[in-house]
Amino acid sequence: MNLPIVRYGDPVLRAKGKRIAKVDEHIRALAENMIETMHAANGVGLAAQQVGEAVRLAVIDVGAAEDQSSTLKLNGEEVDAKASMPLVLLNPEISLGEENILGVEGCLSFPEITGDIARASVVTARAETLEGAKIEIEATGLLARALQHEVDHLNGILFVDRMSAVAKVALRSRLRRMKKENTPR
Ligand code: ZN
């Protein structure tokens, strides 16, 4: 089922996700619907907050990104990143590598807005799967960027928070308008 994506201004985007203690039917259906919603919107990732639920669940798919490569080590083993998509990550924790790289980012909750964001070029993440397995991921490229973007969402952090002050000034009136449109009175 394709779910409505909430936009900037909706308070749920600022809510910290609750840890998922048990994978039940609701969580399974939510993950499946989030994958469908992400694909329908041509996104590379989606966090539960973006469909209105503040829980620690994110989905990622870098498989359709032709122009940006990714590498993925799954539990220490090099695997084909694109063939391993989509990823469903529960309760992910992330460690950032030291080197940062600037790249263009967008977000499905901010239609038509993009910005240059500095992100770690390598990340390690630990997460659980829907099947209850614990996995460790080491990623570079677009996948590393997407992981950082989605884990930020789970903590109520948005990509505009990480934009330079100059970039934010340029977007100020559009962001203000969007926020006003989507904040419930
Ligand atoms: Zn986003």
Side-chain angles (χ1 to χ4, degrees):
M1 189 170 61
N2 199 356
L3 305 170
I5 297 175
V6 304
R7 293 187 174 182
Y8 179 55
D10 190 312
V12 72
L13 290 176
R14 289 300 187 186
K16 253 191 113 150
K18 231 183 103 201
R19 206 186 146 72
I20 297 170
K22 184 174 170 287
V23 177
D24 55 14
E25 266 322 296
H26 174 72
I27 293 295
R28 245 181 268 279
L30 179 62
E32 192 179 314
N33 291 334
M34 282 170 59
I35 290 172
E36 195 178 323
T37 304
M38 166 180 68
H39 284 156
N42 297 316
V44 295
L46 193 66
Q49 275 85 344
Q50 293 180 277
V51 293
E53 295 217 30
V55 296
R56 304 189 72 79
L57 167 64
V59 298
I60 291 178
D61 193 338
V62 297
E66 304 272 315
D67 53 333
Q68 290 181 76
S69 60
S70 301
T71 66
L72 169 61
K73 263 190 207 166
L74 194 56
N75 302 323
E77 219 174 297
E78 194 95 40
V79 295
D80 183 332
K82 289 190 176 182
S84 308
M85 299 295 128
L87 294 176
V88 176
L89 303 173
L90 282 73
N91 305 319
E93 301 288 343
I94 203 167
S95 320
L96 307 181
E98 277 175 21
E99 194 187 312
N100 277 341
I101 183 167
L102 208 61
V104 181
E105 241 170 78
C107 178
L108 294 176
S109 295
F110 292 78
E112 288 161 35
I113 286 180
T114 56
D116 283 332
I117 313 281
R119 299 277 191 188
S121 54
V122 184
V123 301
T124 309
R126 285 191 171 79
E128 290 150 39
T129 67
L130 283 176
E131 291 73 35
K134 286 187 165 46
I135 55 169
E136 192 183 274
I137 286 170
E138 195 185 307
T140 69
L142 180 61
L143 182 55
R145 181 168 292 278
L147 278 163
Q148 292 168 81
H149 182 113
E150 298 315 325
V151 170
D152 269 357
H153 270 301
L154 302 184
N155 292 322
I157 298 166
L158 301 170
F159 83 134
V160 290
D161 304 340
R162 299 200 183 275
M163 277 181 192
S164 70
V166 175
K168 245 193 282 194
V169 167
L171 289 171
R172 192 160 54 194
S173 66
R174 286 168 76 187
L175 288 174
R176 198 180 286 159
R177 201 177 329 122
M178 197 184 294
K179 190 170 183 177
K180 207 171 155 195
E181 276 169 16
N182 296 298
T183 304
R185 281 156 219 242

